[in-house]
């Protein structure tokens, strides 16, 4: 005797070897023995060979009219044998019984499984919905097959054009569009990105890079909610100084200004004035929420995404000709440039001038500052020369003055739109460590380190940057910054552009007014803000670096550069001459650090932002210019140009101005 039985959702046949009330010992056609439950047996048969039973039963099952047996079944639960009697005859054969089991079990859309050979017909509404779903799947499968064929033929299907951004940057892998693309990619043995690019889905590589960043960090767009401008206190005292700022020509978020006031007995008072957007900002206000959501202004060649809306920036930027509320640090300096006293206060500062780099560079530079008379006359000459001498004294006091230090240049980008809609890029060097840079950098280091100490002395928590063992980190504890040579270093000089500075200014204003600070000791909200800022700020810097890399590759193509010099940094990593471009060159032999090489450009891969090169010749290794962490932090402090956030030495060699 043989049995047709169910096992783990499948149906099998086997010969009975032995049997008890609850179990059977069976052996299949291959000689494999197993033990099964008696209640899993559906049909017993003896006249058909094991090898023939299942094929015949399956063939007979396919001929059973599903719609007919669904109508016959009715709404009550039933056994398969009952329905077999209704459909075949009053005495269905063992083969017909098995066929009915197979037909019922393989169509759960029509019949719900109740176990032990019993079923129940699906309600009419459920069946109708299931059929509609099945038809939809069939239509989708047909559409997907068509899309796959078009993609493999190098054509972007019309139906996918509106989904390109999502497929490139934030694909939903449950959609039929993604499934079709993934299947076509597998067939073409390409990544989905490469396949879409080959189909013309990425006509603008710059927009593709930008859209990828925006989809991740600004999924709701770059717009701002309505923000009511906070009202600065009306009783702030007048500073009684004429201040000036030094910035790139395109800078709109002017955070800092300087003043110089001669005093009696050979003393001079130097003022460092920082824009005060935090004045009047209430806890959990819309403006504070925007700052903690944006966390920083995003800079990249040709554009920027500001941390604060234009109306807020316009209200608090230190614009020429205005009297602006500010958080000011005043230091009294003696004739030898030693700081005698320092004082921080809130006041209203008259901004007499916004000086710009392109105007100062020709007259205030390394050549003119060393002349006996300081070079030709120009506005603010006396103040600038004094502050430059003061900056050198500050640098010496930090133990970081080295007049023989060789510094790599920074690089500025300008993106020019053409009449035909295309763009051209200009990349030009700007010497790091110029008198103008040194002046602003040293005064901002003084400001940030002094305010960090004042907050620490007042036991008011703040956000600091610390460096030890070559590693820079953000912390809420005042800790030494070895690279800068200061005991503590807070970021507080760019509150219009960085959330860390905005938060620190909130704490500083509370200290100066005697009010309760926004963040208390061990405040989890402060820790969260620090963590979010650190992660986001680094991500923004990575995006800036990626866009600069893109425009460097574009410049090489635009200028038709076929051969270019570079210098080996280590292994196959090289720094290109005249560009803020560092990349690995595949196949480069092992060369000493500092070895000059000449490379031939072969192919540019904009998707990977890579450049294939061939080595043409090598030279003798030169002295290596060390990129100290101090230099990077000085660039941070100087903020020259507007976006000057120094990137890691192994990522980029320069900084980028607003274009």
């Amino acid at each position: 005797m043989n049995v047709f039985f169910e096992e783990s959702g499948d149906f099998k046949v086997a010969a009975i070897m032995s049997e008890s009330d609850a179990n059977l010992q069976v052996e299949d056609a291959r000689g494999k023995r197993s033990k099964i439950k008696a209640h899993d047996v559906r049909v017993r048969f003896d006249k058909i060979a094991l090898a023939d039973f299942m094929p015949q039963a399956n063939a007979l099952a396919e001929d059973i009219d599903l719609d007919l047996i669904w109508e016959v079944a009715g709404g009550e639960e039933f056994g398969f044998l009952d329905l077999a009697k209704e459909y075949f005859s009053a005495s269905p054969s063992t083969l017909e019984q098995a066929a009915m089991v197979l037909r019922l079990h393989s169509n759960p859309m029509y019949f719900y499984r109740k176990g032990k050979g019993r079923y129940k017909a699906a309600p009419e509404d459920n069946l109708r919905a299931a059929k509609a779903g099945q038809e939809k799947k069939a239509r989708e499968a047909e559409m997907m097959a068509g899309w796959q064929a078009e993609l493999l033929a190098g054509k972007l299907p019309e139906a996918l054009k509106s989904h390109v951004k999502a497929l490139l940057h934030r694909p939903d892998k449950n959609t039929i569009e993604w499934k079709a693309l993934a299947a076509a990619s597998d067939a073409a043995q390409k990544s989905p990105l490469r396949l879409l690019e080959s189909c013309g889905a990425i006509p603008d590589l710059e927009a593709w890079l930008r859209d990828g960043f925006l989809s991740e960090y600004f999924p709701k767009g770059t717009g701002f909610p309505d923000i009511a401008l906070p009202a600065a206190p009306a009783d702030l005292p007048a500073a009684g100084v004429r201040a000036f700022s030094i910035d790139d020509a395109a800078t709109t978020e002017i955070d800092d200004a300087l003043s110089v006031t001669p005093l009696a007995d050979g003393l001079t008072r130097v003022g460092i004035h920082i824009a005060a957007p935090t004045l009047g900002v209430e806890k959990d206000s819309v403006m504070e929420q925007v700052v903690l959501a944006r966390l920083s202004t995003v800079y990249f060649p040709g554009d920027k995404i500001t941390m604060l809306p234009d109306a807020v920036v316009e209200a608090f930027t230190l614009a020429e000709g205005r009297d602006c509320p500010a958080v000011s640090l005043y230091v009294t300096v003696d004739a030898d440039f030693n700081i005698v006293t320092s004082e921080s206060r809130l006041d209203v500062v008259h901004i007499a001038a916004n000086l710009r780099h392109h105007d100062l560079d020709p007259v205030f530079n390394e050549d003119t500052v060393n002349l006996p008379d300081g070079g030709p006359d120009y506005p603010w000459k006396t103040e600038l020369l004094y502050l430059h001498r003061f900056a050198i004294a500050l640098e010496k006091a930090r133990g970081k003055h080295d007049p023989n230090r060789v510094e790599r240049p920074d690089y500025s980008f300008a993106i020019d739109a053409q009449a035909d809609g295309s763009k051209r890029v200009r990349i030009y060097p700007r010497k790091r460590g110029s008198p103008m840079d040194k002046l602003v950098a040293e005064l901002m280091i003084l400001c940030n380190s002094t305010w960090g100490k004042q907050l620490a002395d007042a036991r008011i928590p703040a956000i600091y940057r610390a460096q030890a063992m070559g590693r820079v980190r953000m912390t809420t504890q005042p800790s030494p910054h070895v690279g800068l040579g200061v005991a503590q270093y807070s970021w507080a000089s760019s509150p219009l552009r960085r959330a860390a500075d905005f938060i620190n200014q909130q704490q500083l204003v509370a200290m100066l007014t005697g009010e309760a600070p926004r963040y208390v000791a061990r405040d989890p909200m402060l820790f969260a803000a620090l963590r979010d800022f650190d992660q986001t700020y680094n991500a923004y810097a990575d995006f800036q670096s990626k866009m600069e890399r893109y425009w460097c590759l574009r410049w090489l193509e635009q200028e038709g550069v076929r051969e270019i010099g570079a210098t080996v940094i280590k292994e196959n990593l090289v720094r290109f001459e005249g560009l803020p471009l560092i990349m690995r060159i595949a196949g480069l032999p092992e060369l000493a650090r500092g070895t000059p090489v000449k490379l031939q450009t072969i192919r540019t891969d904009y998707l990977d932002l890579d450049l294939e090169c061939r080595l043409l010749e090598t030279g003798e290794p030169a002295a290596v210019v060390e990129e100290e962490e101090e230099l990077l932090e000085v660039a941070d402090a100087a903020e020259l140009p507007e976006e000057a956030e120094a990137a890691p030495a192994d990522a980029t060699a320069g900084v980028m101005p607003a274009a």
Side-chain angles (χ1 to χ4, degrees), residues 447-460:
C447 173
N448 288 325
S449 60
T450 300
W451 279 343
K453 184 178 187 305
Q454 290 178 357
L455 288 168
D457 290 344
R459 297 186 180 279
I460 295 177

Side-chain angles (χ1 to χ4, degrees), residues 328-346:
S328 299
L329 171 66
Y330 295 95
V331 292
T332 302
V333 184
D334 66 17
D336 295 324
F337 296 106
N338 298 308
I339 296 176
V340 178
T341 62
S342 64
E343 176 193 8
S344 298
R345 65 172 183 249
L346 303 178

Side-chain angles (χ1 to χ4, degrees), residues 286-297:
V286 175
M287 182 165 161
E288 185 182 69
Q289 292 173 13
V290 166
V291 169
L292 295 178
R294 291 290 182 101
L295 296 166
S296 172
T297 291

Side-chain angles (χ1 to χ4, degrees), residues 128-156:
R128 187 183 301 111
K131 284 184 174 181
Q134 193 176 56
E135 292 171 359
K136 179 183 177 182
K137 286 183 179 179
R139 291 194 303 271
E140 289 177 347
E142 184 178 355
M143 285 191 297
M144 289 168 60
W147 296 342
Q148 291 172 38
E150 289 186 78
L151 289 167
L152 291 172
K155 179 182 177 183
L156 182 64

Side-chain angles (χ1 to χ4, degrees), residues 420-612:
D420 61 359
S422 63
K423 295 179 180 179
R424 289 184 64 84
V425 58
R426 288 180 288 122
I427 304 175
Y428 44 94
R430 185 174 182 279
K431 188 174 181 180
R432 178 187 291 172
S434 68
M436 183 166 41
D437 288 7
K438 186 186 296 291
L439 182 161
V440 176
E442 289 300 328
L443 290 176
M444 293 307 111
I445 292 172
L446 172 64
C447 173
N448 288 325
S449 60
T450 300
W451 279 343
K453 184 178 187 305
Q454 290 178 357
L455 288 168
D457 290 344
R459 297 186 180 279
I460 295 177
I463 295 176
Y464 297 87
R465 283 174 72 82
Q467 189 219 359
M469 306 292 290
R471 176 175 174 266
V472 178
R473 60 188 176 89
M474 306 292 289
T475 175
T476 59
Q477 299 297 318
S479 305
H481 195 300
V482 176
L484 291 180
V486 294
Q488 64 285 309
Y489 185 69
S490 66
W491 261 355
S493 55
S494 296
L496 292 174
R497 293 184 271 148
R498 289 190 300 227
D501 303 59
F502 187 94
I503 290 170
N504 283 340
Q505 189 178 94
Q506 286 180 303
Q507 302 295 85
L508 192 62
V509 168
M511 182 191 73
L512 296 175
T513 60
E515 299 176 353
R518 170 66 178 85
Y519 300 95
V520 298
R522 300 187 179 278
D523 194 325
M525 297 301 294
L526 181 62
F527 292 130
L530 182 150
R531 179 201 62 222
D532 293 344
F533 173 78
D534 196 25
Q535 293 175 349
T536 304
Y537 190 74
N538 289 332
Y540 290 177
D542 288 344
F543 172 64
Q544 176 180 332
S545 178
K546 181 181 291 186
M547 294 305 296
E548 290 179 357
R549 189 181 183 93
Y550 165 78
W551 283 111
C552 286
L553 295 176
R554 277 283 302 270
W555 184 87
L556 290 171
E557 180 182 322
Q558 166 190 295
E559 301 300 321
V561 176
R562 293 292 174 263
E563 295 182 3
I564 189 169
T567 303
V568 176
I569 299 174
K570 61 178 181 179
E571 299 171 352
N572 63 345
L573 188 70
V574 304
R575 176 181 286 106
F576 285 73
E577 292 179 359
L579 292 173
L581 181 62
I582 293 176
M583 57 179 23
R584 296 191 179 277
I585 305 301
L588 194 70
E590 185 175 345
L591 297 170
R593 188 177 183 187
T595 301
V597 296
K598 180 178 285 188
L599 303 172
Q600 179 184 27
T601 61
I602 299 174
R603 186 180 68 88
T604 302
D605 185 341
Y606 286 107
L607 295 184
D608 285 340
L609 294 179
D610 197 14
L611 181 66
E612 184 181 348

Side-chain angles (χ1 to χ4, degrees), residues 30-294:
R30 296 173 298 174
K32 180 182 177 181
R33 295 192 176 190
S34 58
K35 183 179 180 180
I36 64 173
K37 300 290 185 182
H39 60 68
D40 289 332
V41 174
R42 299 291 176 264
V43 179
R44 293 171 180 258
F45 63 96
D46 59 0
K47 295 183 179 179
I48 304 176
L50 289 179
D52 298 333
F53 190 88
M54 288 301 294
Q56 293 181 29
N58 281 316
L60 184 58
E62 288 298 319
D63 292 335
I64 297 176
D65 189 329
L66 268 177
D67 292 311
L68 176 59
I69 61 174
W70 177 82
E71 291 180 7
V72 171
E76 301 299 323
E77 185 179 315
F78 62 89
F80 74 91
L81 184 57
D82 298 327
L83 194 57
K85 290 178 179 179
E86 290 284 345
Y87 186 78
F88 291 109
S89 66
S91 300
S93 67
T94 54
L95 201 59
E96 290 171 337
Q97 294 176 41
M100 183 58 70
V101 171
L102 293 172
R103 192 60 162 165
L104 292 171
H105 208 80
S106 61
N107 287 278
M109 183 173 73
Y110 281 83
F111 300 99
Y112 300 155
R113 302 167 185 171
K114 296 298 181 178
K116 298 183 180 180
R118 299 191 63 78
Y119 300 87
K120 184 177 181 180
E124 184 175 358
D125 291 344
N126 294 19
L127 180 60
R128 187 183 301 111
K131 284 184 174 181
Q134 193 176 56
E135 292 171 359
K136 179 183 177 182
K137 286 183 179 179
R139 291 194 303 271
E140 289 177 347
E142 184 178 355
M143 285 191 297
M144 289 168 60
W147 296 342
Q148 291 172 38
E150 289 186 78
L151 289 167
L152 291 172
K155 179 182 177 183
L156 182 64
E158 190 68 31
L160 297 191
K161 289 182 179 179
S162 61
H163 299 274
V164 166
K165 279 190 178 182
L167 292 171
L168 286 171
H169 305 300
R170 298 181 72 87
D172 181 350
K173 296 187 178 182
N174 292 318
T175 63
I176 60 172
E177 291 81 11
W178 171 260
K179 291 176 181 177
L181 174 61
S185 299
D186 290 342
Q189 296 185 332
K190 292 181 178 179
S191 70
L193 174 61
R194 295 284 177 184
L195 182 59
L196 285 173
E197 192 269 341
S198 69
C199 295
I202 312 177
D204 188 337
L205 289 159
E206 178 199 3
W208 166 65
L209 290 168
R210 186 175 60 249
D211 290 343
F213 171 76
L214 293 176
S215 67
E216 182 171 0
Y217 292 97
F218 296 87
K220 296 181 180 179
T222 58
F224 292 92
D226 293 334
I227 296 179
L229 291 177
D235 57 350
L236 293 178
V241 300
R242 298 177 70 249
F244 60 92
S245 64
I246 303 175
D247 291 283
D248 182 80
T251 299
T252 56
E253 301 155 292
I254 303 175
D255 292 288
D256 54 86
L258 308 170
S259 65
V260 179
T261 306
L263 303 175
D265 300 326
L267 300 177
T268 302
R269 186 177 65 189
V270 175
I272 304 170
H273 313 284
I274 305 300
T278 64
L279 292 179
V281 174
E282 296 181 357
K283 179 181 179 180
D284 296 326
S285 64
V286 175
M287 182 165 161
E288 185 182 69
Q289 292 173 13
V290 166
V291 169
L292 295 178
R294 291 290 182 101

Side-chain angles (χ1 to χ4, degrees), residues 638-658:
E639 293 156 3
L640 295 172
E642 175 180 352
E643 303 75 31
E645 289 303 341
D650 283 347
T652 178
V655 294
M656 181 279 303

